[in-house]
Coordinates of all heavy atoms in Angstrom, one line a residue:
M1 N 158.3 46.0 82.9 CA 157.2 46.7 82.2 C 156.8 45.9 81.0 O 155.6 46.0 80.6 CB 157.7 48.1 81.8 CG 156.6 49.0 81.4 SD 155.4 49.1 82.8 CE 155.1 50.8 82.7
K2 N 157.6 45.0 80.5 CA 157.3 44.2 79.4 C 156.1 43.3 79.7 O 155.2 43.2 78.8 CB 158.5 43.4 78.9 CG 158.2 42.6 77.7 CD 159.4 41.8 77.2 CE 159.0 40.9 76.0 NZ 160.0 39.9 75.7
N3 N 156.0 42.7 80.8 CA 154.9 41.8 81.2 C 153.6 42.6 81.3 O 152.6 42.1 80.9 CB 155.2 41.1 82.5 CG 156.3 40.1 82.3 OD1 156.5 39.6 81.2 ND2 156.9 39.7 83.4
L4 N 153.7 43.9 81.8 CA 152.5 44.7 81.9 C 152.0 45.0 80.5 O 150.8 45.0 80.2 CB 152.7 45.9 82.7 CG 151.5 46.9 82.9 CD1 150.4 46.1 83.6 CD2 151.9 48.1 83.7
D5 N 152.9 45.4 79.6 CA 152.5 45.7 78.2 C 151.9 44.4 77.5 O 150.9 44.6 76.8 CB 153.7 46.1 77.4 CG 154.2 47.5 77.7 OD1 153.4 48.3 78.3 OD2 155.3 47.8 77.4
E6 N 152.4 43.3 77.7 CA 151.9 42.1 77.2 C 150.5 41.8 77.7 O 149.6 41.4 77.0 CB 152.8 40.9 77.4 CG 154.1 40.9 76.6 CD 155.0 39.8 76.9 OE1 154.6 38.8 77.5 OE2 156.2 39.9 76.6
L7 N 150.3 42.0 79.0 CA 149.0 41.8 79.6 C 148.0 42.8 79.0 O 146.9 42.4 78.7 CB 149.1 41.9 81.1 CG 147.8 41.8 81.9 CD1 147.2 40.4 81.7 CD2 148.0 42.1 83.4
C8 N 148.4 44.0 78.9 CA 147.5 45.0 78.3 C 147.1 44.6 76.9 O 145.9 44.6 76.6 CB 148.3 46.4 78.3 SG 147.4 47.7 77.4
V9 N 148.1 44.3 76.1 CA 147.8 43.9 74.7 C 146.9 42.7 74.6 O 145.9 42.7 73.9 CB 149.1 43.7 73.9 CG1 148.8 43.0 72.6 CG2 149.8 45.0 73.7
N10 N 147.2 41.7 75.3 CA 146.4 40.4 75.3 C 145.0 40.6 75.8 O 144.1 40.0 75.3 CB 147.2 39.3 76.0 CG 148.4 38.9 75.2 OD1 148.4 38.9 74.0 ND2 149.4 38.4 75.9
T11 N 144.9 41.4 76.9 CA 143.5 41.7 77.4 C 142.7 42.4 76.4 O 141.5 42.0 76.2 CB 143.6 42.5 78.7 OG1 144.4 41.8 79.7 CG2 142.3 42.8 79.3
I12 N 143.2 43.4 75.8 CA 142.4 44.2 74.8 C 142.1 43.2 73.6 O 141.0 43.2 73.1 CB 143.2 45.4 74.3 CG1 143.3 46.4 75.4 CG2 142.6 46.0 73.0 CD1 144.3 47.5 75.1
R13 N 143.0 42.5 73.2 CA 142.8 41.6 72.0 C 141.7 40.6 72.3 O 140.8 40.4 71.5 CB 144.1 40.8 71.7 CG 145.1 41.8 71.1 CD 146.5 41.1 70.9 NE 146.4 40.3 69.7 CZ 147.3 39.4 69.3 NH1 148.3 39.1 70.2 NH2 147.2 38.8 68.2
M14 N 141.7 39.9 73.5 CA 140.7 38.9 73.8 C 139.4 39.5 74.1 O 138.4 38.9 73.7 CB 141.2 38.0 75.0 CG 142.4 37.1 74.6 SD 142.1 36.0 73.3 CE 143.0 36.8 71.9
L15 N 139.3 40.7 74.7 CA 138.0 41.3 74.9 C 137.4 41.6 73.6 O 136.2 41.4 73.4 CB 138.2 42.6 75.7 CG 138.2 42.5 77.2 CD1 138.5 43.9 77.9 CD2 136.9 41.9 77.8
S16 N 138.2 42.1 72.7 CA 137.7 42.5 71.3 C 137.2 41.3 70.5 O 136.2 41.3 69.9 CB 138.8 43.2 70.5 OG 139.2 44.4 71.2
V17 N 138.0 40.2 70.6 CA 137.6 39.0 69.9 C 136.3 38.5 70.5 O 135.4 38.0 69.7 CB 138.7 38.0 70.0 CG1 138.3 36.6 69.5 CG2 139.9 38.4 69.1
D18 N 136.2 38.5 71.8 CA 135.0 38.0 72.4 C 133.8 38.9 72.0 O 132.7 38.3 71.8 CB 135.1 38.1 74.0 CG 135.9 37.0 74.5 OD1 136.3 36.0 73.8 OD2 136.3 37.0 75.7
M19 N 134.0 40.2 71.9 CA 132.9 41.1 71.4 C 132.4 40.7 70.0 O 131.2 40.6 69.7 CB 133.3 42.5 71.5 CG 133.1 43.2 72.8 SD 133.5 44.9 72.6 CE 135.0 45.0 73.6
V20 N 133.4 40.5 69.1 CA 133.0 40.2 67.7 C 132.3 38.8 67.7 O 131.3 38.7 67.0 CB 134.3 40.2 66.9 CG1 134.0 39.6 65.5 CG2 134.9 41.6 66.8
Q21 N 132.8 37.9 68.4 CA 132.2 36.5 68.5 C 130.8 36.6 69.0 O 129.8 36.0 68.5 CB 133.0 35.6 69.3 CG 132.5 34.2 69.4 CD 132.6 33.5 68.0 OE1 133.5 33.8 67.2 NE2 131.7 32.5 67.8
E22 N 130.6 37.3 70.2 CA 129.3 37.4 70.8 C 128.3 38.1 69.9 O 127.1 37.7 69.9 CB 129.4 38.2 72.1 CG 128.2 38.3 72.9 CD 127.7 37.1 73.6 OE1 128.6 36.2 73.9 OE2 126.5 37.0 73.9
A23 N 128.7 39.2 69.2 CA 127.8 39.9 68.3 C 127.6 39.2 67.0 O 126.6 39.5 66.3 CB 128.4 41.3 68.0
N24 N 128.4 38.2 66.7 CA 128.3 37.5 65.4 C 128.4 38.4 64.3 O 127.7 38.3 63.3 CB 127.0 36.6 65.4 CG 127.2 35.5 64.3 OD1 128.2 35.1 64.0 ND2 126.0 35.1 63.9
S25 N 129.2 39.5 64.5 CA 129.3 40.5 63.5 C 130.7 41.3 63.8 O 131.1 41.3 64.9 CB 128.2 41.5 63.6 OG 128.3 42.6 62.7
G26 N 131.2 41.8 62.7 CA 132.4 42.6 62.8 C 133.6 41.8 62.4 O 133.5 40.7 61.8
H27 N 134.8 42.4 62.5 CA 136.0 41.8 62.1 C 137.1 42.0 63.1 O 137.3 43.2 63.6 CB 136.4 42.4 60.8 CG 137.6 41.7 60.1 ND1 138.9 42.0 60.4 CD2 137.6 40.8 59.2 CE1 139.7 41.2 59.7 NE2 138.9 40.5 58.9
P28 N 137.8 41.0 63.6 CA 138.8 41.2 64.6 C 140.2 41.6 64.2 O 141.1 41.8 65.0 CB 138.9 39.7 65.2 CG 138.6 38.8 64.1 CD 137.6 39.6 63.2
G29 N 140.4 41.9 62.9 CA 141.7 42.2 62.4 C 142.3 43.4 63.1 O 143.5 43.4 63.6
L30 N 141.7 44.6 63.1 CA 142.2 45.8 63.7 C 142.4 45.6 65.2 O 143.5 46.0 65.7 CB 141.3 47.0 63.4 CG 141.8 48.3 63.8 CD1 142.9 48.8 62.9 CD2 140.7 49.3 63.9
P31 N 141.4 45.1 65.9 CA 141.7 44.9 67.4 C 142.8 43.9 67.7 O 143.3 44.0 68.8 CB 140.3 44.3 67.9 CG 139.3 44.8 66.9 CD 140.0 44.8 65.5
M32 N 143.1 43.0 66.8 CA 144.2 42.1 67.0 C 145.6 42.7 66.8 O 146.6 42.4 67.5 CB 144.1 40.9 66.1 CG 142.9 40.0 66.5 SD 142.9 39.3 68.1 CE 144.1 38.1 67.9
G33 N 145.7 43.7 65.9 CA 147.0 44.3 65.6 C 147.3 45.6 66.2 O 148.5 45.9 66.6
L34 N 146.4 46.4 66.4 CA 146.6 47.8 66.8 C 147.0 47.9 68.3 O 147.7 48.9 68.7 CB 145.4 48.7 66.5 CG 145.6 50.2 66.6 CD1 146.8 50.6 65.7 CD2 144.4 50.9 66.2
P35 N 146.6 47.1 69.2 CA 146.9 47.2 70.6 C 148.4 47.4 70.9 O 148.8 48.0 71.9 CB 146.4 46.0 71.3 CG 145.2 45.6 70.5 CD 145.7 45.9 69.1
Y36 N 149.3 46.8 70.1 CA 150.7 46.9 70.3 C 151.2 48.4 70.3 O 152.1 48.8 71.0 CB 151.5 46.1 69.2 CG 151.3 44.6 69.5 CD1 150.5 43.9 68.7 CD2 152.1 44.0 70.5 CE1 150.3 42.5 68.9 CE2 151.9 42.6 70.7 CZ 151.1 41.9 69.9 OH 150.9 40.6 70.1
G37 N 150.6 49.2 69.4 CA 150.9 50.6 69.4 C 150.1 51.5 70.3 O 150.5 52.5 70.7
L38 N 148.9 51.0 70.6 CA 147.9 51.7 71.4 C 148.2 51.7 72.9 O 148.0 52.7 73.6 CB 146.5 51.2 71.1 CG 145.4 52.3 71.0 CD1 145.8 53.4 70.1 CD2 144.1 51.6 70.6
C39 N 148.6 50.6 73.4 CA 148.9 50.5 74.9 C 149.9 51.5 75.4 O 149.6 52.2 76.3 CB 149.3 49.1 75.2 SG 147.9 47.9 75.3
P40 N 151.0 51.7 74.7 CA 151.9 52.7 75.2 C 151.3 54.1 75.1 O 151.5 55.0 75.9 CB 153.1 52.6 74.3 CG 153.1 51.2 73.7 CD 151.6 50.9 73.7
L41 N 150.5 54.4 74.0 CA 149.9 55.7 73.8 C 149.0 56.0 75.0 O 148.9 57.2 75.4 CB 149.2 55.7 72.5 CG 148.4 57.0 72.2 CD1 149.3 58.1 72.0 CD2 147.5 56.8 70.9
T42 N 148.2 55.1 75.5 CA 147.2 55.3 76.5 C 147.8 55.9 77.8 O 147.2 56.5 78.6 CB 146.4 54.1 76.8 OG1 147.2 53.0 77.3 CG2 145.6 53.6 75.6
R43 N 149.1 55.7 78.0 CA 149.8 56.2 79.2 C 149.9 57.7 79.1 O 150.1 58.3 80.1 CB 151.2 55.6 79.3 CG 151.1 54.1 79.7 CD 152.5 53.6 80.0 NE 152.5 52.2 80.0 CZ 153.1 51.4 79.1 NH1 153.7 52.0 78.1 NH2 153.0 50.1 79.2
F44 N 149.9 58.3 77.9 CA 150.1 59.7 77.8 C 148.8 60.5 77.5 O 148.9 61.7 77.5 CB 151.1 59.9 76.6 CG 152.4 59.2 76.8 CD1 152.7 58.0 76.2 CD2 153.3 59.8 77.7 CE1 153.9 57.4 76.4 CE2 154.5 59.1 78.0 CZ 154.8 58.0 77.3
L45 N 147.7 59.9 77.2 CA 146.5 60.6 77.0 C 145.9 61.2 78.2 O 145.9 60.5 79.3 CB 145.5 59.6 76.3 CG 145.8 59.1 74.9 CD1 144.7 58.1 74.5 CD2 145.8 60.3 73.9
K46 N 145.5 62.4 78.2 CA 144.8 63.1 79.3 C 143.3 62.8 79.2 O 142.7 63.2 78.2 CB 145.1 64.6 79.3 CG 146.5 65.0 79.5 CD 146.6 66.5 79.6 CE 146.0 67.2 78.4 NZ 146.1 68.6 78.4
H47 N 142.8 62.1 80.2 CA 141.3 61.8 80.2 C 140.9 61.6 81.6 O 141.7 61.4 82.5 CB 141.0 60.7 79.2 CG 141.6 59.4 79.7 ND1 140.8 58.5 80.4 CD2 142.8 58.8 79.6 CE1 141.6 57.4 80.7 NE2 142.8 57.6 80.2
N48 N 139.6 61.6 81.8 CA 139.1 61.4 83.1 C 137.7 60.6 83.0 O 136.7 61.2 82.6 CB 138.9 62.7 83.9 CG 138.3 62.5 85.3 OD1 138.0 61.4 85.7 ND2 138.3 63.5 86.0
P49 N 137.7 59.3 83.3 CA 136.4 58.6 83.1 C 135.3 59.1 84.0 O 134.1 59.0 83.6 CB 136.8 57.2 83.6 CG 138.3 57.1 83.6 CD 138.8 58.5 83.7
N50 N 135.6 59.9 85.0 CA 134.6 60.4 85.9 C 134.0 61.7 85.3 O 133.0 62.2 85.8 CB 135.1 60.7 87.3 CG 135.5 59.4 88.0 OD1 134.8 58.4 87.9 ND2 136.7 59.4 88.6
D51 N 134.7 62.3 84.4 CA 134.3 63.5 83.7 C 134.6 63.4 82.2 O 135.5 64.1 81.7 CB 135.0 64.7 84.3 CG 134.5 66.1 83.8 OD1 133.4 66.1 83.1 OD2 135.1 67.1 84.1
P52 N 133.8 62.6 81.5 CA 134.1 62.4 80.1 C 134.0 63.6 79.2 O 134.4 63.6 78.0 CB 133.2 61.2 79.7 CG 132.1 61.2 80.7 CD 132.7 61.8 82.0
K53 N 133.3 64.6 79.6 CA 133.1 65.8 78.8 C 134.1 66.9 79.2 O 133.9 68.1 78.8 CB 131.7 66.3 78.9 CG 130.7 65.3 78.3 CD 129.3 65.8 78.3 CE 128.4 64.7 77.8 NZ 127.8 64.9 76.5
W54 N 135.1 66.6 80.0 CA 136.1 67.5 80.4 C 136.7 68.2 79.1 O 137.2 67.5 78.2 CB 137.2 66.8 81.2 CG 138.5 67.5 81.5 CD1 138.6 68.8 81.9 CD2 139.8 67.0 81.5 NE1 139.9 69.1 82.2 CE2 140.7 68.0 81.9 CE3 140.3 65.7 81.1 CZ2 142.0 67.8 82.0 CZ3 141.7 65.6 81.2 CH2 142.5 66.6 81.6
P55 N 136.6 69.5 79.1 CA 137.0 70.2 77.8 C 138.5 70.1 77.4 O 138.8 70.1 76.2 CB 136.8 71.7 78.1 CG 136.0 71.7 79.4 CD 136.1 70.4 80.1
D56 N 139.4 69.9 78.4 CA 140.8 69.8 78.0 C 141.3 68.4 77.8 O 142.5 68.1 77.8 CB 141.6 70.5 79.2 CG 143.1 70.8 78.7 OD1 143.3 71.0 77.5 OD2 144.0 70.7 79.6
R57 N 140.4 67.4 77.7 CA 140.8 66.0 77.5 C 141.4 65.8 76.1 O 141.1 66.6 75.2 CB 139.6 65.1 77.7 CG 138.6 65.2 76.5 CD 137.3 64.5 76.9 NE 136.3 64.6 75.8 CZ 135.6 65.6 75.5 NH1 135.7 66.7 76.2 NH2 134.7 65.6 74.5
D58 N 142.2 64.8 76.0 CA 142.7 64.4 74.7 C 141.7 63.6 74.0 O 140.8 62.9 74.7 CB 144.0 63.6 74.8 CG 145.2 64.4 75.2 OD1 145.2 65.6 74.9 OD2 146.1 63.8 75.8
R59 N 141.7 63.6 72.7 CA 140.7 62.8 71.9 C 141.5 61.8 71.1 O 142.5 62.1 70.5 CB 139.9 63.7 71.0 CG 138.7 64.3 71.6 CD 139.1 65.7 72.0 NE 137.9 66.5 72.4 CZ 137.9 67.5 73.2 NH1 139.1 67.8 73.7 NH2 136.8 68.2 73.5
F60 N 140.9 60.6 71.1 CA 141.4 59.5 70.2 C 140.3 59.2 69.3 O 139.2 58.8 69.7 CB 141.8 58.3 71.0 CG 142.2 57.1 70.2 CD1 143.5 57.1 69.6 CD2 141.4 56.1 70.0 CE1 143.8 56.1 68.7 CE2 141.7 55.0 69.2 CZ 143.0 55.0 68.6
I61 N 140.6 59.3 68.0 CA 139.5 59.0 67.0 C 139.9 57.8 66.2 O 141.0 57.7 65.6 CB 139.4 60.2 66.0 CG1 139.0 61.5 66.8 CG2 138.4 59.9 64.9 CD1 139.0 62.7 66.0
L62 N 139.0 56.8 66.2 CA 139.2 55.6 65.5 C 138.0 55.6 64.5 O 136.9 55.4 64.8 CB 139.1 54.4 66.5 CG 139.2 53.0 65.8 CD1 140.6 52.8 65.3 CD2 138.9 52.0 66.9
S63 N 138.4 55.7 63.2 CA 137.3 55.9 62.2 C 137.0 54.5 61.5 O 136.0 54.5 60.8 CB 137.8 56.9 61.1 OG 138.9 56.5 60.5
A64 N 137.8 53.5 61.8 CA 137.5 52.2 61.2 C 136.3 51.5 61.9 O 136.5 51.1 63.1 CB 138.7 51.3 61.1
G65 N 135.1 51.5 61.4 CA 134.0 51.0 62.1 C 134.2 49.5 62.5 O 133.7 49.1 63.6
H66 N 134.9 48.7 61.7 CA 135.0 47.3 62.1 C 136.0 47.2 63.2 O 136.2 46.1 63.8 CB 135.5 46.5 60.9 CG 136.8 46.8 60.3 ND1 136.9 47.8 59.3 CD2 138.0 46.4 60.5 CE1 138.2 48.0 59.0 NE2 138.9 47.1 59.7
G67 N 136.7 48.3 63.7 CA 137.6 48.2 64.8 C 136.9 48.8 66.1 O 137.6 49.0 67.1
S68 N 135.6 48.9 66.1 CA 134.9 49.5 67.2 C 135.1 48.6 68.5 O 135.1 49.1 69.6 CB 133.4 49.7 66.9 OG 132.8 48.5 66.6
A69 N 135.3 47.3 68.3 CA 135.5 46.5 69.5 C 136.8 46.9 70.2 O 136.8 46.8 71.4 CB 135.6 45.0 69.0
L70 N 137.7 47.3 69.5 CA 139.0 47.8 70.1 C 138.7 49.0 70.9 O 139.1 49.1 72.1 CB 140.0 48.1 69.0 CG 141.3 48.9 69.5 CD1 142.1 47.9 70.4 CD2 142.1 49.3 68.3
L71 N 138.0 50.0 70.4 CA 137.6 51.2 71.1 C 136.8 50.9 72.4 O 137.1 51.4 73.4 CB 136.9 52.2 70.2 CG 136.5 53.5 70.8 CD1 137.8 54.3 71.3 CD2 135.7 54.4 69.8
Y72 N 135.8 50.0 72.2 CA 135.0 49.7 73.4 C 135.8 49.0 74.5 O 135.7 49.2 75.7 CB 133.8 48.8 73.0 CG 132.8 49.5 72.1 CD1 132.2 48.8 71.1 CD2 132.6 50.8 72.2 CE1 131.3 49.4 70.2 CE2 131.7 51.5 71.3 CZ 131.1 50.8 70.4 OH 130.2 51.4 69.5
S73 N 136.8 48.1 74.1 CA 137.7 47.5 75.0 C 138.5 48.5 75.8 O 138.6 48.4 77.0 CB 138.6 46.5 74.3 OG 137.8 45.4 73.8
L74 N 139.1 49.4 75.0 CA 139.9 50.5 75.7 C 139.1 51.3 76.6 O 139.6 51.6 77.7 CB 140.5 51.4 74.6 CG 141.7 50.8 73.8 CD1 142.1 51.7 72.7 CD2 142.9 50.7 74.8
L75 N 137.9 51.7 76.2 CA 137.1 52.5 77.1 C 136.7 51.8 78.4 O 136.8 52.3 79.5 CB 135.8 53.0 76.4 CG 136.1 54.0 75.3 CD1 134.8 54.2 74.5 CD2 136.5 55.3 75.9
H76 N 136.4 50.5 78.3 CA 136.0 49.7 79.4 C 137.2 49.6 80.4 O 137.1 49.7 81.6 CB 135.6 48.3 79.0 CG 135.4 47.4 80.1 ND1 134.3 47.4 81.0 CD2 136.1 46.4 80.6 CE1 134.4 46.5 81.9 NE2 135.5 45.8 81.7
L77 N 138.4 49.3 79.8 CA 139.6 49.0 80.6 C 140.2 50.3 81.3 O 140.9 50.2 82.2 CB 140.7 48.3 79.8 CG 140.3 46.9 79.4 CD1 141.3 46.4 78.4 CD2 140.2 46.0 80.6
T78 N 139.8 51.4 80.7 CA 140.4 52.7 81.3 C 139.4 53.4 82.2 O 139.6 54.5 82.6 CB 140.8 53.7 80.2 OG1 139.8 53.9 79.3 CG2 142.0 53.1 79.4
G79 N 138.3 52.7 82.5 CA 137.4 53.1 83.6 C 136.1 53.8 83.1 O 135.3 54.2 83.9
Y80 N 135.8 53.8 81.8 CA 134.6 54.4 81.3 C 133.4 53.4 81.5 O 133.7 52.2 81.6 CB 134.7 54.8 79.9 CG 135.6 56.1 79.8 CD1 137.0 55.9 79.6 CD2 135.1 57.3 79.8 CE1 137.8 57.0 79.5 CE2 135.9 58.4 79.7 CZ 137.2 58.3 79.6 OH 138.1 59.4 79.5
D81 N 132.2 53.9 81.5 CA 131.0 53.1 81.8 C 130.6 52.3 80.6 O 129.6 52.6 80.0 CB 129.9 53.9 82.4 CG 128.7 53.1 82.9 OD1 128.9 51.9 83.2 OD2 127.6 53.6 82.9
Y82 N 131.4 51.3 80.2 CA 131.1 50.4 79.1 C 131.1 49.0 79.6 O 132.2 48.5 79.8 CB 132.1 50.6 77.9 CG 131.8 51.8 77.0 CD1 132.4 53.0 77.3 CD2 131.0 51.7 75.9 CE1 132.1 54.1 76.6 CE2 130.7 52.8 75.2 CZ 131.3 54.0 75.5 OH 131.0 55.1 74.7
P83 N 129.9 48.5 79.9 CA 129.9 47.1 80.5 C 130.4 46.1 79.5 O 130.3 46.3 78.3 CB 128.4 46.9 80.8 CG 127.7 47.8 79.9 CD 128.6 49.0 79.6
L84 N 130.8 44.9 80.0 CA 131.2 43.8 79.2 C 130.0 43.2 78.5 O 130.2 42.6 77.4 CB 132.0 42.8 80.0 CG 133.3 43.2 80.5 CD1 134.0 42.1 81.4 CD2 134.3 43.6 79.4
R85 N 128.9 43.3 79.1 CA 127.7 42.7 78.5 C 126.5 43.7 78.6 O 126.4 44.4 79.5 CB 127.3 41.4 79.1 CG 128.2 40.3 78.9 CD 127.6 39.0 79.3 NE 128.4 37.9 78.9 CZ 128.1 37.1 77.9 NH1 127.0 37.2 77.2 NH2 129.0 36.1 77.5
N86 N 125.6 43.6 77.6 CA 124.4 44.4 77.7 C 123.3 43.7 78.4 O 123.2 42.6 78.5 CB 123.9 44.8 76.3 CG 124.8 45.9 75.7 OD1 125.4 46.6 76.4 ND2 124.9 45.9 74.4

């Protein structure tokens, strides 16, 4: 399982860094550090990318605006309709 966790963390980190670089805006600090704690958490969250307004879903709130690249990476990788490019 360790290799899967490392793949998860590194994928999120690199997607986030690419977003910040492509936008020429933002800060990669939060997306580089938080995935270590977030990857294990995502295994326990109840959600459904096919029904994002499902009333019984768990909510994850990320209030640090400069960490939005992390949130977008997570949503994309968990099946939500967030494309890698606009």
Side-chain angles (χ1 to χ4, degrees):
M1 196 57 136
K2 183 180 177 192
N3 289 336
L4 183 58
D5 287 341
E6 288 177 20
L7 179 62
C8 173
V9 166
N10 290 330
T11 301
I12 291 170
R13 291 172 82 196
M14 291 303 103
L15 278 175
S16 299
V17 168
D18 285 347
M19 275 188 248
V20 170
Q21 182 68 29
E22 181 75 21
N24 200 22
S25 179
H27 189 276
L30 186 75
M32 292 298 285
L34 195 57
Y36 289 101
L38 217 51
C39 281
L41 175 67
T42 58
R43 292 188 195 108
F44 301 102
L45 293 175
K46 295 184 308 181
H47 65 96
N48 182 351
N50 297 317
D51 187 9
K53 295 185 186 250
W54 171 41
D56 195 31
R57 71 193 181 279
D58 287 335
R59 276 98 167 154
F60 174 76
I61 299 171
L62 180 68
S63 64
H66 63 273
S68 60
L70 171 67
L71 183 58
Y72 296 144
S73 295
L74 282 170
L75 289 170
H76 173 76
L77 292 171
T78 55
Y80 290 86
D81 188 23
Y82 281 89
L84 291 176
R85 291 193 173 254
N86 285 334

